[in-house]
């Protein structure tokens, strides 16, 4: 078979171990998953009500245009319905962009470490990948990213807040960057965690969209809205850009339940505000833990925190998993001595912090 040569060494996405897997491995009755940046508070009660009352016809395809969802979200964002592109999670929106714009004849620019699907999709399409390292504080080096752009650059990816560092791009930094990006380059601004941002100098992407026609914003309902299981993401851009991307989108790509769940969720912004407030309290729990234990960490504008244990992240990951807490080792994220922990409920945070303290105590005792 004539496979693409770039697939030879490309690995499929490896999801973390499930809670049931970990229970079986270690003989545990209870396991807490803090690895995938899911919302520990679930979803809005309006979504649960919708699911209880929904009268569905499983044999009928979803609305391929997602009309009800499209108009509800357009109204929520104050954009035109024709400025929206829906995907099976924002991952598919990223894939659609890559299919539409990346080829063997061009290149794409991104930070590193960042969300790995930008690079993954670029490799599949055969494009040259140009990576610019984050600075020591986990921030995008936008000036160096501009220097990496040339006449063959097709797409630049910006993740803000960035996964896995949790850092964000400041308003004036982004404006200066956009002012200097050539018109032929699409700038994708991945805002999967934007609902969680509380920084005063964070930009307003929807306002920037009006002044920078080469900008495309991606967002998701998997994080703050707690709808990860429904896989609904979206892109926002000019009508011209969306019109070019739409033919690449698979038909019926957003399922019926997902469309209805999102419409219900949009009506409960109080739930989002509550989750954001609890998330900030949770981050403070981790900040205090790190300061007490003398650990470096990245201040986060997302619903996760990257903590440097100054040792193999896999070792910390394995220990926590054996105690019933699934986190993400930094070995797979470009920070080999770190672990990334999703902010849970207050009780979940307290418990995993207690286990982390126990782990650090065992390491200190061995040294003594």
């Amino acid at each position: 078979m004539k496979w693409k040569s770039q697939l030879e060494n490309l690995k499929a996405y490896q999801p973390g171990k499930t809670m049931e897997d970990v229970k079986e491995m270690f003989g545990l009755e209870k396991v807490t998953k803090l690895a995938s940046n899911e919302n520990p508070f679930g979803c809005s009660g309006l979504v649960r009500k919708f699911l209880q009352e929904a009268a569905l016809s499983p044999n009928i395809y979803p609305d391929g245009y997602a009309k009800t969802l499209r108009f509800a979200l357009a109204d929520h964002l104050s954009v035109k319905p024709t400025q929206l592109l829906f995907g099976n999670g924002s991952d598919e929106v990223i894939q659609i962009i890559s299919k539409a714009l990346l080829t063997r004849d061009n290149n794409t620019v991104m930070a590193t470490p960042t969300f790995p699907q930008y690079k993954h999709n670029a490799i599949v399409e055969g494009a040259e990948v140009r990576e610019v390292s984050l600075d020591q504080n986990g921030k995008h080096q936008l000036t160096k990213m501009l220097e990496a752009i040339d006449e063959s650059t097709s797409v630049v990816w910006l993740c803000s807040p960035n996964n896995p560092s949790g850092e964000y791009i400041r308003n004036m930094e982004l404006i200066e960057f956009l002012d200097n990006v050539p018109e032929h380059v699409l700038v994708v601004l991945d805002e999967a965690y934007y609902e969680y941002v509380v920084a005063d100098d964070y930009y307003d992407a929807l306002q920037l969209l009006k002044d920078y026609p080469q900008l495309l914003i991606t967002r998701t309902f998997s994080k703050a809205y707690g709808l990860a299981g429904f896989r609904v993401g979206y892109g926002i851009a000019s009508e011209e850009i969306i019109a070019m991307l739409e033919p690449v989108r698979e038909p019926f790509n957003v399922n019926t339940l997902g469309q209805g769940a999102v419409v219900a969720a949009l009506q409960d912004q109080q739930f989002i505000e509550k989750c954001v407030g609890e998330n900030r309290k949770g981050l403070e729990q981790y900040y205090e833990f790190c300061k007490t234990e003398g650990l470096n960490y990245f201040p986060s504008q997302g619903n996760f925190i990257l903590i440097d244990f100054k040792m193999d992240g896999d070792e910390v990951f394995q220990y926590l998993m054996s105690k019933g807490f699934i986190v993400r080792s930094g070995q797979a994220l470009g920070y080999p001595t770190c672990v990334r922990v999703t902010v849970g409920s207050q009780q979940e945070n307290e418990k995993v912090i207690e286990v982390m303290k126990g782990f650090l105590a065992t390491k200190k005792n061995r040294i003594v």
Side-chain angles (χ1 to χ4, degrees), residues 112-114 134 164 298 306 328-338:
T112 185
T114 192
L134 300 175
F298 292 83
L306 191 66
R328 190 77 188 273
S329 170
Q331 286 283 1
L333 303 174
Y335 288 97
T337 61
C338 296

Side-chain angles (χ1 to χ4, degrees), residues 28 73 76 199 220 335 343 351:
L28 300 169
L73 183 58
H76 175 71
T220 181
Y335 288 97
V343 178
K351 288 183 177 179

Side-chain angles (χ1 to χ4, degrees), residues 289-296 307-311 315-316 319-320 337 339 352-368:
F289 158 69
C290 291
K291 292 171 184 176
T292 300
E293 298 294 333
L295 299 176
N296 293 327
I307 303 173
D308 189 355
F309 281 81
K310 300 183 178 69
M311 64 185 76
E315 183 179 356
V316 184
Y319 180 88
L320 294 178
T337 61
V339 295
V352 74
I353 287 172
E354 182 180 346
V355 174
M356 288 177 178
K357 287 180 178 178
F359 171 76
L360 291 171
T362 63
K363 301 299 287 188
K364 290 176 182 177
N365 290 337
R366 288 179 195 174
I367 295 173
V368 173

Side-chain angles (χ1 to χ4, degrees), residues 37 111-116 132-141 158-170 193 280 283 287 296-308 330 333-335 338-341:
N37 305 338
T112 185
T114 192
F115 187 53
V132 177
S133 296
L134 300 175
D135 70 13
Q136 62 183 4
N137 297 314
K139 292 176 58 179
H140 283 70
Q141 298 198 75
L158 303 176
C159 187
S160 177
N162 185 55
N163 178 13
S165 66
E167 254 292 353
Y168 68 103
I169 299 172
R170 278 68 175 168
Y193 301 94
R280 298 318 302 180
L283 282 169
Y287 294 164
N296 293 327
Y297 66 94
F298 292 83
S300 177
Q301 290 293 322
N303 68 333
F304 56 88
I305 182 170
L306 191 66
I307 303 173
D308 189 355
L333 303 174
Y335 288 97
C338 296
V339 295
R340 190 191 68 194
V341 186

Side-chain angles (χ1 to χ4, degrees), residues 256-276:
T256 301
L257 276 177
Q259 292 185 34
V262 168
V263 172
L266 286 171
Q267 299 173 44
D268 191 359
Q269 292 303 308
Q270 288 185 340
F271 172 78
I272 301 299
E273 292 172 7
K274 179 181 177 181
C275 291
V276 172

Side-chain angles (χ1 to χ4, degrees), residues 85-280:
L85 173 74
F86 291 100
N88 182 33
S90 58
D91 302 78
E92 190 189 21
V93 176
I94 292 167
Q95 185 181 62
I96 290 170
I97 295 166
S98 300
K99 286 182 176 181
L101 287 162
L102 299 181
T103 72
R104 286 186 174 275
D105 299 324
N106 59 34
N107 68 70
T108 181
V109 177
M110 64 195 68
T112 185
T114 192
F115 187 53
Q117 291 304 105
Y118 313 145
K119 183 176 182 178
H120 181 94
N121 283 292
I123 292 173
V124 171
E125 301 305 326
E128 176 193 351
V129 177
R130 297 183 177 181
E131 296 178 288
V132 177
S133 296
L134 300 175
D135 70 13
Q136 62 183 4
N137 297 314
K139 292 176 58 179
H140 283 70
Q141 298 198 75
L142 295 179
T143 300
K144 290 185 177 181
M145 292 184 76
L146 281 172
E147 293 171 353
I149 296 172
D150 63 17
E151 65 279 359
S152 296
T153 303
S154 187
V155 184
V156 175
W157 308 89
L158 303 176
C159 187
S160 177
N162 185 55
N163 178 13
S165 66
E167 254 292 353
Y168 68 103
I169 299 172
R170 278 68 175 168
N171 181 54
M172 293 310 299
E173 294 173 340
L174 182 57
I175 290 174
E176 183 178 357
F177 178 82
L178 292 172
D179 282 340
N180 288 280
V181 174
E183 292 183 359
H184 69 271
V185 178
L186 178 71
V187 178
V188 179
L189 191 55
D190 186 343
E191 293 191 320
Y193 301 94
Y194 95 99
E195 289 95 347
Y196 287 109
V197 177
V198 297
D200 292 335
D201 54 352
Y202 193 62
Y203 53 82
D204 184 336
L206 294 179
Q207 287 300 314
L208 292 176
L209 198 62
K210 299 174 182 178
D211 297 321
Y212 299 97
Q214 78 268 48
L215 182 63
L216 186 150
I217 305 157
T218 65
R219 293 179 179 176
T220 181
F221 290 97
S222 295
K223 305 303 180 183
Y225 283 89
L227 301 178
F230 291 107
R231 309 303 296 126
V232 183
Y234 61 102
I236 319 162
S238 68
E239 292 177 285
E240 292 76 16
I241 288 176
I242 297 299
M244 292 300 295
L245 293 173
E246 273 288 355
V248 186
R249 179 179 61 83
E250 293 289 336
F252 312 113
N253 62 328
V254 180
N255 68 82
T256 301
L257 276 177
Q259 292 185 34
V262 168
V263 172
L266 286 171
Q267 299 173 44
D268 191 359
Q269 292 303 308
Q270 288 185 340
F271 172 78
I272 301 299
E273 292 172 7
K274 179 181 177 181
C275 291
V276 172
E278 291 299 317
N279 184 68
R280 298 318 302 180

